[in-house]
Amino acid sequence: MEDLHRGEASRTTVGDASATIAVVGGGSESAAGRAREAYVVGHRGVHRRPSGEAPPLPKAPWWPRIVAILVAVIVLGFATAAAFGADPPAGLLAWFARFQHEPILSIAKVLNWFATKTGIVALRIAMAIVLLSFLRFRHGFVAIIAIGTMDLLATSPFLRFPLDPPTSPVIVPPASGTWYFPASTVASLAITLGVMVFALAPVGPWRRRAFVVALALAVLVVLARAVLGATYLYAGLYSVALGFTVAAFLFGWLAPADAFPVSYRRGANAAHLELTGDRVEAITRALRDQLGLRVTAVEPFGAEGSGGSTPLLMTLDDGSRVFGKILATSHVKADRWYRTVRTIMYGRLEDETSFSSVRQLIGQEDYALRLLDDDGFHVAHTYGIVELTPNQEYLLAEQFFDDADTLGHATVDDAVIDQGMHLVRRLWDSGLAHRDLKPANMLVVDGHLQVIDVSGLEIRPSPWRQAVDLANMMLVMALRTDVPRVYDAALRYFTPDDVAEAFAAAQGMAIPTELQRHVKEDPRDLIAEFRALAPSRPPISIQRWSSRRIGLTVAVVGGTLVLGIWSFAVFFHVLD
């Protein structure tokens, strides 16, 4: 692995990719001749993707086909309204009336239960219970938006119109006493079944099966209501088509499966993308073409310590291994939400800005690794960024450390403690802050402390942020040793006042979630013990009030209240 990095020490070549320079053009020695000479730089094993060639992991845009279908369905509704108006073809409904006898009548009444308010609300409550159990709030919110949109379309004066009552016998009339196009109750059932398919069924065979079952149930209900005289057949089938199309459109737009997958694995992290066959093949090809690294195996690695990316371990053809992390557009959106929520809870603690794109986000970590490496910090060497899907998904390849343990499992002795304090001191002196010091982000390699996951590295941080880094490092070390040893080691690099400031700032969200969990599980009160050893200092408030925070809080609270009331009303509203 070390040889692999030395091969790219110039930051221009990696692996077996070696630079060659060829002169193209005439060999004139004149100044004009030399000016016209062109130099071509190539790397053996590295392939530049020509314009028009598909990327390693092509993702077809979701919208062209589904938007075309949605427009076609709506146009079909207008055409049907223009063709039939309020005088529907009654002959077909009269034909269904011939089946109004047992046992068909009993079966039709059972199926019709799904199109009653009780049946539809029961289906929605069952879906909500599943989504809440697995904390899939986004899918639930998109489902409510889809139901509300369907209500607007199905009751729109441009699309909806009353129909003349049928002349054939009616066993179960509509709840409102009026027949409509689209069929109101069937529209509510169709959108309910549609959102259940996209919110509950994972992509692949399970979703296809769920779609077929839901569609078959909806069609059977329409046939049953035709037998009962409750729905004109063409109005019911149109409602089914409209409901499923609206559900597919809104879930494809607001909750795409690649960014918000449906998963029932307990403890699964939404940030972890599935390492499926297509993605693994794309990773293999992208590393070969873009970095000259030939991968023979790809496997998940270290997912329990990663909350904002998809970590993986790749084995090369020479037996060496490379660590990688995938970042996608969903991670950028999650980062924006995190910063918004944190601003509401605490205000803006530092001069931070959200990342505008996933390419900028992964470029920040690559830059941070190179910056720390250039400054002599012990970090993983970066081999570069590979593009899986332009502007949507990228992978950062880094050096992997064999026989390394995180600080949550490694033996921590005085030497490791000293290295931890020295690391923070060097960060302070270099005007840097790691911002996420926790056991999973520090390795012990051959007795040497190694820091990893530097995506949050901040240049010229606030004094508060630097103090937090010191407190977190001391807590990490104390989890595996004891407070006095760590405190004594800290005094070799920091003053007692520095330590006092650090633990005056160590509260709430200043401590990473993983570290908070370990500190709470420890029977000792580590923070209180450090504060007892350090000079007394009042806690540093992390609350920062500003007009921005107040305005954002009012907007979010007010918007949430309005959306909550609207969502409740939509969720329990069934067209009749």
Side-chain angles (χ1 to χ4, degrees), residues 138-367:
R138 188 179 187 91
H139 288 103
F141 186 63
V142 175
I144 291 174
I145 292 177
I147 293 171
T149 302
M150 186 64 179
D151 287 353
L152 292 175
L153 286 174
T155 58
S156 169
F158 300 102
L159 189 63
R160 186 193 198 196
F161 57 91
L163 304 175
D164 294 335
T167 57
S168 55
V170 176
I171 305 300
V172 178
S176 64
T178 303
W179 284 257
Y180 286 104
F181 177 90
S184 302
T185 306
V186 177
S188 289
L189 173 63
I191 191 63
T192 300
L193 293 175
V195 298
M196 289 179 72
V197 169
F198 292 99
L200 301 180
V203 173
W206 283 108
R207 178 166 292 184
R208 290 192 291 271
R209 294 167 189 162
F211 185 86
V212 171
V213 170
L215 184 61
L217 176 60
V219 172
L220 286 174
V221 170
V222 171
L223 295 176
R225 288 179 64 82
V227 170
L228 297 173
T231 298
Y232 284 97
L233 183 65
Y234 79 101
L237 293 179
Y238 178 79
S239 300
V240 171
L242 184 62
F244 278 81
T245 304
V246 168
F249 172 79
L250 288 173
F251 271 88
W253 177 26
L254 300 175
D258 58 338
F260 303 97
V262 174
S263 175
Y264 292 95
R265 292 180 298 168
R266 288 290 182 183
N269 191 315
H272 298 155
L273 304 174
E274 296 289 340
L275 292 178
T276 58
D278 289 343
R279 183 170 277 112
V280 169
E281 182 180 350
I283 291 170
T284 302
R285 184 155 64 92
L287 284 167
R288 181 189 67 236
D289 291 348
Q290 299 174 34
L291 296 182
L293 304 180
R294 300 187 177 277
V295 176
T296 59
V298 177
E299 57 185 303
F301 181 81
E304 66 282 354
S306 172
S309 63
T310 301
L312 60 152
L313 184 62
M314 299 162 288
T315 304
L316 304 185
D317 56 356
D318 62 357
S320 59
R321 294 189 289 180
V322 173
F323 175 77
K325 59 165 49 179
I326 300 176
L327 291 176
T329 51
S330 57
H331 302 124
V332 179
K333 296 176 182 178
D335 177 75
R336 291 173 186 162
W337 276 110
Y338 165 75
R339 294 179 192 274
T340 299
V341 172
R342 196 184 66 177
T343 299
I344 293 173
M345 295 179 63
Y346 302 103
R348 298 192 67 179
L349 302 178
E350 306 98 14
D351 183 20
E352 291 181 333
T353 56
S354 299
F355 293 99
S356 61
S357 67
V358 62
R359 183 161 49 184
Q360 184 186 35
L361 179 61
I362 200 165
Q364 156 67 15
E365 182 160 3
D366 182 65
Y367 168 76

Side-chain angles (χ1 to χ4, degrees), residues 348-426:
R348 298 192 67 179
L349 302 178
E350 306 98 14
D351 183 20
E352 291 181 333
T353 56
S354 299
F355 293 99
S356 61
S357 67
V358 62
R359 183 161 49 184
Q360 184 186 35
L361 179 61
I362 200 165
Q364 156 67 15
E365 182 160 3
D366 182 65
Y367 168 76
L369 284 172
R370 296 175 187 272
L371 174 65
L372 292 173
D373 190 21
D374 290 343
D375 286 347
F377 286 88
H378 291 289
V379 293
H381 303 303
T382 170
Y383 301 117
I385 298 171
V386 297
E387 179 186 74
L388 299 178
T389 306
N391 300 313
Q392 294 186 47
E393 196 168 318
Y394 294 85
L395 181 146
L396 176 63
E398 306 173 18
Q399 179 183 9
F400 177 74
F401 299 99
D402 291 296
D403 301 323
D405 289 319
T406 66
L407 275 187
H409 303 91
T411 300
V412 178
D413 54 20
D414 289 337
V416 173
I417 297 174
D418 186 80
Q419 292 174 41
M421 300 305 108
H422 186 216
L423 171 64
V424 177
R425 178 76 260 176
R426 291 193 60 204

Side-chain angles (χ1 to χ4, degrees), residues 470 474 487 490-491 494-504 530 534-535:
L470 174 58
M474 294 179 70
Y487 183 79
L491 293 184
F494 302 94
T495 67
D497 286 339
D498 290 335
V499 178
E501 178 190 355
F503 283 94
F530 277 120

